[in-house]
Amino acid sequence: MLLLKDGEIIDNPWIVIENNLPTSLPDYPILSQTLLSTLDNIDKIHQPLGVLLPCDHDIEHLRPYLEKLSLIVLEFPSFKDGRAFSQARQIREHLKFTGELRAIGHILPDQYQFLTRVGFTTILIPDNANIASWKENRQHFTIGFQSSVLKEPKQGLVRKL
């Protein structure tokens, strides 16, 4: 899988820990929400830490861990399921998370602009993805009905003539 950030492919140092915690964590672990909650002495962890939050889980479960998290991964289980869009916006606006927010799963290039507007900073795409299509779709829309959570001033569609 390729990791896309700002329309460019970047290195992905993160490793997903599937079921059980190893005796020592790798440098960039991504844990399930369940594994994250079982970590002993989380205050003593001094390395980047990521979590995978399924779209049917409440974002409020992350609140106690926000200071320790460098990455939150949200999954789109199917093209028709857009709950991760709502989760992303809530994570940025309500939890005030400023770290990396990653989208994974069934995502299409024409969703790129929407993903960034709700706060995603990186997207995991298949190895065989058409990178040119992703880059092109990133530039399609320059304005939106709602302001982006990552942009400073709120801009609407109305302008003075």
Side-chain angles (χ1 to χ4, degrees):
M1 299 292 262
L2 302 172
L3 188 59
L4 195 61
K5 180 178 183 176
D6 296 327
E8 302 297 326
I9 302 299
I10 62 169
D11 289 334
N12 182 14
W14 294 90
I15 298 169
V16 177
I17 308 296
E18 294 285 337
N19 299 319
N20 299 316
L21 283 173
T23 54
S24 67
L25 289 175
D27 288 340
Y28 293 89
I30 299 174
L31 307 174
S32 68
Q33 181 186 348
T34 305
L35 285 179
L36 180 66
S37 64
T38 63
L39 273 180
D40 293 330
N41 302 322
I42 193 167
D43 293 332
K44 293 182 181 178
I45 295 176
H46 301 290
Q47 68 185 70
L49 192 60
V51 64
L52 174 61
L53 185 70
C55 64
D56 60 348
H57 287 210
D58 188 352
I59 64 161
E60 284 298 321
H61 292 121
L62 298 179
R63 191 176 293 278
Y65 308 103
L66 285 177
E67 288 184 23
K68 287 295 184 179
L69 293 175
S70 301
L71 167 70
I72 298 175
V73 181
L74 302 177
E75 184 175 12
F76 289 83
S78 75
F79 171 73
K80 297 178 187 179
D81 192 337
R83 291 177 287 179
F85 282 111
S86 299
Q87 282 179 313
R89 191 156 191 114
Q90 291 171 351
I91 286 169
R92 292 291 189 203
E93 290 182 341
H94 300 297
L95 297 183
K96 307 292 188 215
F97 180 70
T98 58
E100 182 180 345
L101 192 56
R102 181 176 299 176
I104 64 169
H106 296 276
I107 309 162
L108 300 176
D110 62 351
Q111 295 173 309
Y112 198 166
Q113 196 63 234
F114 303 116
L115 291 164
T116 58
R117 291 190 68 75
V118 297
F120 285 104
T121 51
T122 57
I123 304 164
L124 199 62
I125 60 175
D127 291 333
N128 61 350
N130 180 347
I131 303 303
S133 176
W134 281 91
K135 287 182 180 184
E136 179 183 322
N137 278 289
R138 182 173 178 257
Q139 305 301 326
H140 272 312
F141 302 102
T142 57
I143 57 176
F145 288 107
Q146 294 177 327
S147 63
S148 172
V149 295
L150 297 178
K151 304 281 187 213
E152 299 238 344
K154 292 187 176 191
Q155 297 177 1
L157 291 175
V158 179
R159 64 183 172 124
K160 288 187 176 184
L161 296 176

